[in-house]
């Protein structure tokens, strides 16, 4: 089992969009596993990869190679389907993050509907828990969903930060502030129920600090912005700057 640092706010780097660029040409380049290894060296505490049903970015072979070569935990993002469950049970990654998935969406647009699917999801995650995977549920900042995630036996919830980031990017700062309040209150609620709290989606240098400052949040998963920023400054400096901002928000110096 790959160790997890229990004290520091962890940064999970999502490498899906390295595969998006690779697949645009149907070539082997750029290699998402090379990016994952580089991210690891740059200070990522984990790597996140989403094997989508349509395989639009990450492939089955990418998951095989990540499992073989990563020195940090893999957070395997997947929809709640029998096919993905079988793949997860074959690999037994450190964590599985259950996300909603629609073929027509560009990205994971909302959180999972846990409250309505409680029984089905409880049955779905039971074998993953039994296999030793940390089970994370990607949800909106909503009390009913968090309480349902707790009841079905999830270890972790990952709060969807997309609404906060989108409103911030559009200059709707009052709405962004309201979204941030919801995220903060729901982080505290989830923590009080004994759930580990993660957050992610759409985070950038401009939006990361208020979320990183929530004391209950243990991990941020960030992809699209970092891979985009890597075009301009390189992957290692792009990750180092995100790490610095996270540490600053948490009141820690990046220098030990
Ligand atoms: N967390 C989850 C559960 C996601 O689905 C995604 C997007 O794949 C992310 C984090 C990362 O979002 P972004 O790529 O916008 O940083």
């Amino acid at each position: 089992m790959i160790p997890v640092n229990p004290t520091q706010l962890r940064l999970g780097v999502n490498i899906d969009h390295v595969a998006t660029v690779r697949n645009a040409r149907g070539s082997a380049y750029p290699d998402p596993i090379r990016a994952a290894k580089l991210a690891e060296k740059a200070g990522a505490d984990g790597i996140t990869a989403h094997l989508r049903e349509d395989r639009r970015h990450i492939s089955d072979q990418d998951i095989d190679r990540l499992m073989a070569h990563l020195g940090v935990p893999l957070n395997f993002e997947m929809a709640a389907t029998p096919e993905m469950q079988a793949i997860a049970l074959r690999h037994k990654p450190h964590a599985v993050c259950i996300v909603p998935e629609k073929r027509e969406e560009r990205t994971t647009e909302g959180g999972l509907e846990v409250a309505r699917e409680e029984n089905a999801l409880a049955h779905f995650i039971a074998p993953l828990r039994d296999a030793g995977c940390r089970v994370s549920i990607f949800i909106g900042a909503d009390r009913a969903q968090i309480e349902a995630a707790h009841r079905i036996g999830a270890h972790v919830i990952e709060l969807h930060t997309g609404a906060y980031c989108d409103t911030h990017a559009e200059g709707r700062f009052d709405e962004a502030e309201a979204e941030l309040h919801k995220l903060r209150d729901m982080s505290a609620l989830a923590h009080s129920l004994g759930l580990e709290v993660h957050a992610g989606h759409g985070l950038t240098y401009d939006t990361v600090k208020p979320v990183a400052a929530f004391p209950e949040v243990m991990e941020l998963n960030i992809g699209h912005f970092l891979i985009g920023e890597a075009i301009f400054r390189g992957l290692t400096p792009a990750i180092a700057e995100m790490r610095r901002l996270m540490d600053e928000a948490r009141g820690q110096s990046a220098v030990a």
Side-chain angles (χ1 to χ4, degrees):
M1 188 61 86
I2 297 165
V4 171
N5 180 343
T7 51
Q8 192 192 31
L9 172 62
R10 299 191 299 267
L11 170 59
V13 173
N14 182 318
I15 53 157
D16 291 352
H17 297 300
V18 180
T20 302
V21 176
R22 175 194 61 190
N23 294 0
R25 281 293 176 91
S27 62
Y29 189 88
D31 178 11
I33 286 66
R34 182 175 167 199
K37 296 297 292 178
L38 201 58
E40 195 181 319
K41 270 208 202 124
D45 301 288
I47 296 296
T48 293
H50 183 178
L51 184 66
R52 292 186 76 103
E53 190 189 4
D54 61 9
R55 309 301 199 267
R56 70 173 71 155
H57 38 56
I58 294 294
S59 69
D60 296 71
Q61 200 196 2
D62 292 332
I63 299 296
D64 294 344
R65 292 175 61 225
L66 285 168
M67 285 303 298
H69 298 297
L70 273 188
V72 291
L74 175 67
N75 179 33
F76 177 63
E77 257 186 58
M78 55 179 249
T81 66
E83 182 200 16
M84 290 300 152
Q85 189 193 50
I87 293 170
L89 289 174
R90 182 150 46 79
H91 286 298
K92 300 185 179 57
H94 166 78
V96 294
C97 181
I98 314 294
V99 300
E101 206 175 288
K102 290 191 223 114
R103 263 180 191 268
E104 64 278 14
E105 71 189 356
R106 266 189 297 185
T107 180
T108 314
E109 281 165 2
L112 199 68
E113 177 50 63
V114 194
R116 252 197 339 249
E117 305 287 338
E118 203 169 314
N119 276 342
L121 276 170
H123 280 101
F124 184 82
I125 68 170
L128 298 165
R129 281 180 57 105
D130 293 346
C133 299
R134 300 273 298 163
V135 176
S136 170
I137 310 281
F138 190 44
I139 48 180
D142 181 278
R143 174 180 289 272
Q145 303 298 340
I146 292 167
E147 289 173 349
H150 172 60
R151 283 194 299 272
I152 67 171
H155 301 99
V156 179
I157 55 146
E158 179 165 333
L159 289 173
H160 197 308
T161 51
Y164 157 58
C165 293
D166 288 348
T167 47
H168 189 280
E170 289 162 16
R172 290 149 54 200
F173 297 119
D174 288 351
E175 286 168 68
E177 199 57 33
E179 293 295 338
L180 205 52
H181 268 86
K182 263 197 275 176
L183 289 164
R184 194 191 55 204
D185 291 351
M186 292 303 108
S187 297
L189 170 73
H191 181 75
S192 74
L193 294 173
L195 289 158
E196 183 173 315
V197 183
H198 299 177
H201 208 283
L203 290 168
T204 67
Y205 295 153
D206 289 338
T207 50
V208 72
K209 286 181 82 171
V211 181
F214 300 160
E216 299 86 4
V217 172
M218 297 295 294
E219 179 174 306
L220 298 180
N221 285 303
I222 309 178
H224 185 259
F225 175 80
L226 284 175
I227 303 307
E229 190 65 10
I231 294 170
F232 303 108
R233 60 167 103 193
L235 189 58
T236 300
I239 291 172
E241 175 63 3
M242 191 61 84
R243 177 82 262 170
R244 190 186 69 74
L245 293 168
M246 286 166 58
D247 289 342
E248 207 171 85
R250 245 355 211 257
Q252 295 170 356
S253 165
V255 182

